[in-house]
Amino acid sequence: MRDQRLLIWSIILLSTGLLGEMKITPFGDDFRFSLGIMAYFFGLLWFSVPVLATGISVGAFVVLFRISLGLLLYDTPVLTGFTQHMPVFFYYVTFAAIISLLKIKANVEYHVKVALYGALADMASNVAELIVRIASGAPASMSYHEGLLIILVGLLRSFFAVGMCNMLAIRQVRAQAEQRRLELERLMMINSDLFEEAFYLRKSMSHIEEITRESYQLYQSLKQRLYPDATQALQIAKHVHELKKDSERILSGLFKIIHQERMLSKRIQITELCAMVVRANTNYSLLLGKQIQWGHCCNINLSTTEIYPLLSVLNNIVSNAVEAIPHDGKIDLQVDLQDDSILFAVVDNGPGISADDLELIFHPGYTTKFDAEGNSSTGIGLSHATDIVQLFKGDIDVTSAPGYTCFHIRIPVERLT
């Protein structure tokens, strides 16, 4: 933290000193208008630094910097340089004192007010510097036009510094918002995967309950027949019941995570959800080293609360299309409204699906995908997507030919919205 403060302090000192040499001398003497005050004012607004202490140190540094520069470049004697540049110290100290007095740091959200206060501080500081120069023996005359020039330059420098600060702040906020959006999308994609697991776990729990009931009925039947190993059936029923309770705890934890993340976005535009799917799978295609052209056309203006189920369905189908394309190709995601249903279409120009496979691809466990070691995938992606679509009282079908595959998904509007 100390090193960071020292770095910030050094940046303000050096930038003020260097930009102070970008100057004009409107009155033909040592008094100048420079860009140094803009660097100093920007530093006060952007960084958390003590105003008065910074003003004193900047004033002293600028005086020493200009004396050293005059000595090195023009062989100006130190005493002469001190007489020329000493009034600048009072300029920066006056500026810092007025900024502190007006409490600009506490009103940075009022941009015009801050800029006007900064201009007032600039004008007053110029007057203070001129008074010190006059007291040091400089000519004591100032025309009406020169006074107007001081006012104009004060306004320009102050508004420029505040404008630069606001521009950087806006860029920073936009960058943070983009980072937040990417993080939210990542969480939503993770949650869609969790939703799939929870969906299947909930589905399995009904089978577990049925097995428990049948095991207990088997125990009762064997017990009535005085079968010596009847207690084994009871033990099986107990073990299955324990499995059910563990599954319930896991399912409860999954839904707790899902519902917590749902609080981040309870409703989302279907257009944005589809764009999210396209962005995620664009990254996936690049990870696989594939060049894919994407098309995304959504002709509806509806939003949905069923974020994770819909993400699961679309992501499964679109990622399958990415994996099916050998090296380069095109994938289109189209959304339309027809009567009382929303129609999703995922079209790709991959190798297509054979007629024999078309009858099997929606069956659980069926797959044509294998990794580098020859291990097959789970084969439940499309069956899972089908289960979710049917849960929404919709339907899913596919048409395919060499160089063309299209998945059609139809879901009633009322089930999504």
Side-chain angles (χ1 to χ4, degrees):
M1 183 65 71
R2 184 179 178 183
D3 293 340
Q4 186 179 11
R5 289 176 182 172
L6 184 60
L7 177 62
I8 292 172
W9 208 292
S10 301
I11 290 172
I12 294 175
L13 293 179
L14 288 173
S15 60
T16 304
L18 291 172
L19 289 176
E21 297 308 306
M22 301 178 66
K23 63 185 187 296
I24 58 172
T25 53
F27 307 149
D29 54 13
D30 295 325
F31 180 83
R32 66 174 72 177
F33 291 135
S34 73
L35 301 183
I37 188 59
M38 292 194 300
Y40 172 59
F41 191 28
F42 176 85
L44 289 182
L45 295 175
W46 191 257
F47 300 111
S48 296
V49 292
V51 178
L52 283 175
T54 309
I56 293 170
S57 59
V58 166
F61 176 81
V62 170
V63 171
L64 292 174
F65 181 78
R66 292 181 183 179
I67 291 173
S68 302
L69 210 59
L71 181 64
L72 292 173
L73 298 180
Y74 309 110
D75 292 326
T76 304
V78 174
L79 185 59
T80 303
F82 179 79
T83 303
Q84 288 177 342
H85 304 302
M86 178 270 297
V88 177
F89 173 80
F90 294 93
Y91 173 86
Y92 283 102
V93 172
T94 303
F95 188 90
I98 294 175
I99 293 295
S100 179
L101 184 65
L102 295 175
K103 301 186 184 302
I104 285 182
K105 297 281 286 182
N107 295 278
V108 289
E109 67 272 18
Y110 304 110
H111 311 306
V112 176
K113 183 179 179 180
V114 168
L116 290 174
Y117 280 177
L120 178 63
D122 193 339
M123 298 171 204
S125 301
N126 278 320
V127 171
E129 181 183 347
L130 285 171
I131 291 173
V132 174
R133 289 190 182 280
I134 292 170
S136 302
S141 62
M142 178 184 291
S143 68
Y144 171 74
H145 293 91
E146 290 171 345
L148 286 179
L149 185 60
I150 288 177
I151 294 173
L152 179 61
V153 170
L155 288 168
L156 288 175
R157 291 194 294 197
S158 179
F159 273 89
F160 185 84
V162 173
M164 283 293 296
C165 189
N166 288 337
M167 286 174 60
L168 289 177
I170 289 170
R171 289 190 62 181
Q172 188 179 57
V173 168
R174 287 178 176 173
Q176 290 173 348
E178 178 65 14
Q179 186 64 31
R180 171 67 174 165
R181 183 187 65 80
L182 294 175
E183 181 65 16
L184 183 59
E185 286 189 6
R186 186 183 71 85
L187 289 174
M188 292 174 74
M189 286 297 177
I190 292 173
N191 265 18
S192 69
D193 293 337
L194 290 176
F195 178 85
E196 291 183 21
E197 302 303 325
F199 183 85
Y200 270 103
L201 183 58
R202 185 167 54 181
K203 193 175 180 182
S204 299
M205 284 177 62
S206 62
H207 297 306
I208 294 174
E209 180 67 27
E210 185 177 345
I211 293 171
T212 303
R213 184 169 53 253
E214 289 179 353
S215 299
Y216 187 75
Q217 289 174 352
L218 177 62
Y219 161 71
Q220 293 280 26
S221 176
L222 294 175
K223 183 181 177 182
Q224 290 176 359
R225 299 177 185 178
L226 301 178
Y227 191 79
D229 294 326
T231 54
Q232 289 184 359
L234 180 61
Q235 289 299 319
I236 292 173
K238 289 180 179 179
H239 290 320
V240 175
H241 183 67
E242 286 299 316
L243 177 61
K244 177 194 171 187
K245 289 196 294 185
D246 290 340
S247 299
E248 285 176 341
R249 283 191 289 268
I250 295 171
L251 185 64
S252 175
L254 286 174
F255 274 113
K256 184 177 180 181
I257 295 173
I258 293 171
H259 288 308
Q260 283 177 344
E261 298 302 334
R262 276 189 176 184
M263 296 302 293
L264 296 174
S265 180
K266 293 183 179 180
R267 180 174 289 274
I268 188 172
Q269 288 285 327
I270 292 178
T271 301
E272 177 57 29
L273 188 142
C274 293
M276 191 188 308
V277 172
V278 170
R279 285 193 293 267
N281 283 280
T282 299
N283 294 332
Y284 182 45
S285 65
L286 293 175
L287 182 66
L288 297 180
K290 300 182 179 183
Q291 298 296 322
I292 295 178
Q293 297 179 9
W294 293 90
H296 171 216
C297 179
C298 183
N299 296 319
I300 63 174
N301 185 26
L302 296 173
S303 59
T304 181
T305 56
E306 301 294 346
I307 299 172
Y308 302 120
L310 193 53
L311 268 179
S312 296
V313 172
L314 295 177
N315 206 44
N316 264 310
I317 295 173
V318 175
S319 62
N320 282 345
V322 170
E323 293 165 354
I325 292 175
H327 302 290
D328 56 80
K330 184 176 181 181
I331 299 175
D332 289 319
L333 175 56
Q334 303 167 4
V335 188
D336 289 294
L337 193 62
Q338 188 177 85
D339 298 329
D340 59 348
S341 297
I342 300 175
L343 302 180
F344 299 89
V346 179
V347 184
D348 70 77
N349 64 348
I353 304 171
S354 67
D356 293 337
D357 288 337
L358 280 176
E359 299 178 1
L360 300 172
I361 58 173
F362 294 110
H363 290 194
Y366 181 80
T367 184
T368 58
K369 294 183 291 186
F370 298 86
D371 61 18
E373 287 74 30
N375 301 314
S376 65
S377 67
T378 59
I380 61 173
L382 287 177
S383 66
H384 170 69
T386 304
D387 289 341
I388 294 177
V389 171
Q390 290 175 351
L391 186 68
F392 286 135
K393 308 300 180 184
D395 54 67
I396 180 171
D397 62 72
V398 58
T399 56
S400 186
Y404 171 83
T405 300
C406 179
F407 281 85
H408 292 93
I409 305 157
R410 183 194 63 82
I411 301 176
V413 173
E414 63 179 10
R415 302 299 300 223
L416 286 183
T417 59

